[in-house]
Every structure is written in structure tokens, then in C-alpha cells.
Amino acid sequence: MSTSELTTPSADSVASKATHRSRKPQMRGVGKAQRREAIMLVIPSLIPVILFSVAPLLIGIFMAFTDNTLKRNHETQFIGFDNFVRLMSDTYFWESFKIGMIWAFSVTILQLLAGMGLALLLNSNLKFQGFTRLLALLPWAMPPVVVAIMWKMIYSPNAGPLNAVLGSMGLPSDINWLGDFSTALPAVIVVGVWVGMPQTTITLLAGMQQIPEELNEAAEVDGANAWLVFRSITLPSLKPIIASITSLNFIWNFNSFGLVYVMTEGGPGGKTMLPMLFTYIEAFKNRNIGYAAAMGDLLVLVVVALLGVYLWTQFKGDKIK
């Protein structure tokens, strides 16, 4: 074989290279067209997000650096970090922040415990499972305002059914559940748990139904009781779901507003004054929009930090998998 035959490319290879080169511009054109189509599909969903989420957030951030109020003929001025300096020494706000953390932690943990118990019950072979699951979802389906009014009637010191039941059992029946300093926050926490428990229950129940039945059967054959099956199989299998739902519940509970506002409006004596409720009162009752915006900015930072923890747990769980 000659040297020219070794170095000269064949006609087929030349043709394939030419075809490959001609396809590159076509593929680039197809890729650009697909990106344009994707952008056009995403834009309609981005417009409401920008108008109703991003824009108000940016406006709120800006107002935190002003002395904006709802008073007539007031000329808004830029005051820098004055609102934040004032906020750092506002003992009432930090007291509401502490109450909000107590509320969020208590409701989230109790929701998890109650939801886990109810999910285990619904996952067993009960009669009328569809009906029982419907009852479990009932608190979630009710509007928060309706729930607040209903529980306010239940807690009524004079005509409430709770005090009536306690009286029939020979126990004190004149307790002002929402008006007493020592019972107001626990009473509201109970309602918060009742409202949010269905979501946790359904999420955990869905996770339980994904566990292979063979694992439970093998554990029972080995002589494991219900507690050992739960501790060794059910709980480890639910860890990623527990981390997700607990993080989300904490964020939602920390942002609670309507339920507590209707039930107590932050009373008595600020014992149920959550930070979101405190911010609302500062903005629309005291009319200090700029100062309330500074509070809102700080709470946004807290929520962003909580979201960061949630995403970190999700990333960590995916990495382990």
C-alpha cells in the first residue's frame, strides 16, 4: 500500500464530515427555536409572579428606608437605616418574635406527632377507610376564618361547649381560654395543630404506602412487635418526608396571621402577638408603613433562612440517595 493511499481520506469520510458540518447550523437553529418556545411558555406564568410577588417585595424593601405613613399630606423622605436602628431596640417587636418562634416550634412539633399517629391509624386495615380519611381532611378544607370563629365559640367562657363538658365532669367550668394570660397561647396552639394536622397526615400516609409490604412482613416473621417495626422500618423510610414537611410547616406556621387575628387579635396583653400580626398592626392601625416595612424585611430574611435550611435538607437527602 502506497503512502498516498494512507494519507488521502476516502470519499465516504469526506462526505460524512461535510454532512456533520452541515448539520451543526441546523442543530443550533433547532436549539434556539426550542429555547424561544420555552421562554414564550414560561412568560405567562412569570408575569403574575413579577406583578404580585417580586414587585411588592421590592417596593417593601424600598419603603423600609423611608418614613412613609398613611397620614394625609405627608411627604415621604428617605431616612436610610433609621427604621432598622429603631427596630433593633423595639422590645415589643422582639417579644412578638419570641412568641412567634414558640408558636411555630410548638405547632410544628405537635402537628408532626399528631399527624404521625393519625397516619399510622389510617394506614392500618380500618373499616370505612375512605370516610375516615375524609374526616381527617375536614379541618384542612375549612377556611381559616371559619375555623377561628368556630373555635372561638368552643372556647367561649360562658356558653362554650368545652367549659360545659368540664363542668359536667366536676372540673372548673369558668375558664376564659382566650382571655387569660396563662391559657391564651396554648389554646391558640391547639387550634393551629388541628388546622395543619391533615396536611402532615396525608403526606406521611403517602410515604407509608410507598414502603414495601415485604419489609413489614419479614420483620413480623422475625418476631418484631409494632414498635420495632415502626422504629426500624417505618421511621427510617419516612426521614426525607419528615424533614420536608417539618421544614415547610415551620415556615407556614411562622407566617401565620389570619387564624390568630380572628381569634385573639394578639391579646390578651400581647400574649398571642405573632410577628406578622404585630407588623400588620404597626402598618394599618398605627399607620407607620415605613417602620412596618422594615419589620417585614427582617421577617423575609428569617423566612429565606428557613427556606435555605429546607433546600439544604432536600439537597442532602438527594445526595445520600
Side-chain angles (χ1 to χ4, degrees), residues 39-58:
I39 292 172
M40 294 303 295
L41 291 172
V42 170
I43 285 176
S45 62
L46 284 179
I47 291 175
V49 174
I50 294 173
L51 290 178
F52 301 112
S53 295
V54 178
L57 177 62
L58 295 177

Side-chain angles (χ1 to χ4, degrees), residues 30 35 61 82 88 163 173-174 190-191 197 217 248 256 290:
V30 172
R35 283 195 292 271
I61 292 173
D82 288 359
M88 291 300 105
N163 277 344
S173 58
D174 58 348
V190 169
V191 181
M197 186 176 63
E217 293 175 355
L248 292 176
S256 294

Side-chain angles (χ1 to χ4, degrees), residues 36-97:
R36 283 196 297 268
E37 291 177 0
I39 292 172
M40 294 303 295
L41 291 172
V42 170
I43 285 176
S45 62
L46 284 179
I47 291 175
V49 174
I50 294 173
L51 290 178
F52 301 112
S53 295
V54 178
L57 177 62
L58 295 177
I59 294 172
I61 292 173
F62 172 75
M63 286 195 302
F65 297 93
T66 67
D67 62 347
N68 194 348
T69 68
L70 292 179
K71 298 177 182 178
R72 291 182 179 180
N73 302 323
H74 175 77
E75 294 184 2
T76 302
Q77 296 180 354
F78 184 82
I79 58 174
F81 290 92
D82 288 359
N83 286 328
F84 294 95
V85 173
R86 175 186 172 189
L87 184 60
M88 291 300 105
S89 58
D90 191 337
T91 56
Y92 293 107
F93 172 77
W94 292 110
E95 181 65 23
S96 73
F97 188 86

